[in-house]
Amino acid sequence: MHRLRSACVLAVIFAAVTLAQRQMTVPQLVSFIRSSIQLRQDDHQVAEVVRKIKLTNRLDGKTVEELEGMGAGPRTVAALKSLEAASASLAPPPPPAPRPAVVVLQAPDSLEQKRILAEVTENALSYVQSLPNFICTQVTRRHIDPSGTETWKSDGVIQEHLSYVDHHEDYKVMLVNDRPVVGMDHDRVGGQPVVG
């Protein structure tokens, strides 16, 4: 899907540039060439598009070499060298925008750390009391590795209705390996192998 979307974007750029000679900045050209390399576009087609581009600033040899090193084809490189010569009298491209400064937060002092830990502890202890009543279906897929070699095998699927009312959990086993069960205890299922 990602490759199809990228190909569509590249096709739109091809069409736009092919219709008429378009102006591009060097960063736009570099982005276009990188995309064509990643999508493994035909060197002849890419070169044809590059020949129809008019740059708004100067393309230097170093950039052409970098694009060639990334995998630009020989025809594309030849078209880039023609652009380099044609743009020699233009101003150089603006420098890339500076990266945003990384803000390093200072660790809180010991009093603030104690306050934070007390708040987290209180939230953890009162979490169960804050839960609303609910009913849901819980599906547990169990896997085992009998050989100890990270070769996991399915060991059954358990479907239960879980209700949480007035701070009390209640489990009712409904299906084991997609087969209905009646009167099976949650604790018994949880500790023993499920027979399929």
Side-chain angles (χ1 to χ4, degrees), residues 16-174:
V17 173
T18 304
L19 287 174
Q21 187 174 25
R22 297 287 183 189
Q23 290 190 342
M24 269 192 188
T25 64
V26 169
Q28 289 170 331
L29 173 68
V30 169
S31 177
F32 169 71
I33 300 297
R34 282 183 178 160
S35 294
S36 70
I37 293 167
Q38 290 172 348
L39 295 171
R40 294 179 174 80
Q41 296 296 317
D42 179 67
D43 181 37
H44 177 71
Q45 290 177 337
V46 175
E48 283 300 312
V49 172
V50 171
R51 283 188 196 101
K52 295 179 182 177
I53 294 173
K54 182 176 180 180
L55 289 176
T56 59
N57 43 34
R58 182 172 53 225
L59 176 63
D60 61 20
K62 179 181 176 199
T63 303
V64 174
E65 287 176 16
E66 287 173 0
L67 292 171
E68 184 177 17
M70 287 180 203
R75 291 179 179 174
T76 302
V77 171
L80 288 170
K81 287 182 179 179
S82 293
L83 268 180
E84 177 187 355
S87 66
S89 63
L90 299 174
R99 293 186 179 189
V102 177
V103 178
V104 179
L105 299 176
Q106 299 234 350
D109 63 26
S110 61
L111 291 175
E112 181 65 7
Q113 288 179 16
K114 286 180 183 179
R115 187 196 66 72
I116 292 170
L117 289 173
E119 185 177 324
V120 169
T121 302
E122 177 60 34
N123 287 339
L125 293 173
S126 63
Y127 172 72
V128 172
Q129 298 300 320
S130 69
L131 285 177
N133 294 338
F134 64 87
I135 299 173
C136 68
T137 300
Q138 174 176 294
V139 177
T140 305
R141 289 173 173 69
R142 299 188 329 181
H143 293 81
I144 59 171
D145 177 22
S147 64
T149 60
E150 298 294 317
T151 309
W152 295 91
K153 296 180 181 179
S154 175
D155 189 41
V157 179
I158 304 158
Q159 181 175 320
E160 302 170 277
H161 282 185
L162 164 61
S163 61
Y164 183 81
V165 179
D166 296 330
H167 313 295
H168 175 72
E169 291 180 3
D170 183 50
Y171 294 85
K172 183 176 180 186
V173 180
M174 304 303 290

